[in-house]
Amino acid sequence: MVDANKGKILLSVTGFNPKKWHGLLSPEREVVLEPAGETDPSITHAVVWYHPAGQLAKLPNLKAIFSIGAGVDHIMTDPDLPDVPIVRVVAENLTQHMVEYVVWRVLDHHRQASHYRKRQGESVWQGIEQRAAPDVTVGIMGMGTLGGAVAKALTAIGFKVNGWSRSQKTFEGVKTYSGQGELDSFLGKTDILVVLLPLTPQTRGIINYDLLSKLRKEHGGPVLINAGRGKLQSDTDILRALGDGTLREASLDVFEQEPLPASSPLWKHPKVFITPHAAAESDPNHLAPLMLAQMDKIERGETPDNIVDRSAGY
């Protein structure tokens, strides 16, 4: 039953039908769908995905902003963003999906599945020399909640795992690097590069030809797996790296332009595996209750969990 004493929620999403989110949030709080309620003083929280720029600044009593997805770059592009907490919703369900995706893609590349698929099509019964997992180093760029969980899963399988992030972090069983000064050293020890970085002004376009050319070039060449954000990478540079052997293969879940245009050569490239930004989709059944609990926490005067640090480049 809706509690009339609780502040309203503005639900402002672009790109999909918000009906399910509305159905899960509305039993506890009144939910206002954008574009209604633009200046409603009773709205205290906003749940958004690519909201119209300037919209949130019109809400005089807004207390917090929640992102439907794992990323918050779509929020930070608003030039009139109000100075209220931006809250990431960290859910075990979302983390599990990302772990599954990365482990799947690492093993697919490691066990040379593309070669076996080709031989199957040619009816060729012939094995391929296979390295063991401990002989392969997976380098993870982005050691937040998702990166840490992925690292734990990969080390459990037996891979050597290194991690890089903008600030120094520590994870059991993982050699960590940080900052621009240690990036080249990290790349030079990486056979399979997994990208889970957030999109910030500092990381935009970071996966370019220059970076890819610094990966370790042993055992047939390095592999790229990007399940972070599309604008972290240059699609053109990835194609160049695949063409000249700088990269052996790539698994891409995100792209500079989404949906990926049908004209993109990535679709039919024999060394590329594509998924449609589906590595870790947000499940409202899991995320909506967490959002509501955080809203209650804020209204009790408590600090919510997982606030985005804007000063650190989010």
Side-chain angles (χ1 to χ4, degrees):
M1 186 175 190
V2 174
D3 188 339
N5 295 317
K6 291 183 176 182
K8 296 178 184 177
I9 299 171
L10 174 70
L11 182 59
S12 178
V13 299
T14 300
F16 60 90
N17 190 329
K19 182 177 179 180
K20 190 166 186 180
W21 284 94
H22 186 282
L24 291 165
L25 293 168
S26 58
E28 290 194 24
R29 292 174 179 264
E30 184 175 343
V31 178
V32 178
L33 285 172
E34 185 274 330
E38 283 198 340
T39 59
D40 188 341
S42 60
I43 292 175
T44 55
H45 299 89
V47 175
V48 304
W49 185 252
Y50 288 95
H51 68 280
Q55 179 188 61
L56 302 181
K58 299 175 183 178
L59 301 172
N61 294 312
L62 188 66
K63 295 181 178 180
I65 304 166
F66 295 80
S67 174
I68 278 178
V72 297
D73 48 283
H74 62 98
I75 297 174
M76 304 301 291
T77 57
D78 185 344
D80 298 315
L81 196 63
D83 187 18
V84 299
I86 299 170
V87 182
R88 295 185 200 273
V89 181
V90 178
E92 290 183 7
N93 173 266
L94 190 69
T95 302
Q96 178 64 27
H97 284 173
M98 183 60 77
V99 169
E100 292 171 0
Y101 175 86
V102 175
V103 170
W104 168 42
R105 299 317 309 147
V106 167
L107 287 174
D108 191 84
H109 291 294
H110 171 61
R111 293 306 300 256
Q112 307 176 82
S114 63
H115 295 290
Y116 281 113
R117 283 189 284 267
K118 183 175 183 295
R119 292 185 180 185
Q120 179 179 342
E122 298 169 349
S123 303
V124 174
W125 182 273
Q126 183 180 357
I128 304 169
E129 185 178 351
Q130 179 64 51
R131 286 190 292 162
D135 297 332
V136 177
T137 299
V138 179
I140 302 173
M141 293 184 74
M143 292 299 292
T145 300
L146 298 178
V150 166
K152 183 177 180 180
L154 291 171
T155 54
I157 296 171
F159 289 99
K160 183 177 180 181
V161 178
N162 294 338
W164 180 87
S165 51
R166 288 181 54 78
S167 58
Q168 183 61 48
K169 297 183 179 179
T170 303
F171 292 86
E172 184 178 355
V174 179
K175 180 173 176 55
T176 55
Y177 299 78
S178 63
Q180 196 64 34
E182 296 185 350
L183 180 56
D184 286 0
S185 179
F186 162 81
L187 294 169
K189 297 177 176 64
T190 297
D191 300 306
I192 300 177
L193 179 65
V194 175
V195 182
L196 295 173
L197 290 166
L199 179 63
T200 72
Q202 294 77 26
T203 61
R204 183 179 294 270
I206 192 172
I207 308 302
N208 53 32
Y209 187 83
D210 180 63
L211 180 142
L212 296 172
S213 67
K214 295 174 181 176
L215 296 169
R216 185 153 60 187
K217 297 176 178 61
E218 300 175 5
H219 311 290
V223 169
L224 169 67
I225 300 170
N226 187 5
R229 311 298 291 173
K231 294 188 184 301
L232 295 170
Q233 71 187 34
S234 164
D235 294 358
T236 300
D237 283 12
I238 291 172
L239 284 164
R240 178 186 171 190
L242 289 164
D244 67 13
T246 297
L247 276 180
R248 173 165 59 91
E249 294 177 337
S251 281
L252 304 174
D253 185 58
V254 292
F255 304 89
E256 286 185 270
Q257 180 182 344
E258 295 182 2
L260 183 64
S263 59
S264 171
L266 288 168
W267 278 112
K268 293 182 172 61
H269 200 291
K271 297 180 181 179
V272 177
F273 184 90
I274 288 174
T275 46
H277 206 142
E281 293 183 309
S282 299
D283 184 347
N285 290 299
H286 290 264
L287 297 185
L290 297 174
M291 289 180 178
L292 290 167
Q294 291 281 68
M295 292 173 193
D296 289 345
K297 193 171 186 178
I298 292 168
E299 293 186 350
R300 291 195 301 268
E302 301 172 16
T303 302
D305 302 320
N306 305 308
I307 295 178
V308 173
D309 183 356
R310 301 191 195 191
S311 66
Y314 56 91

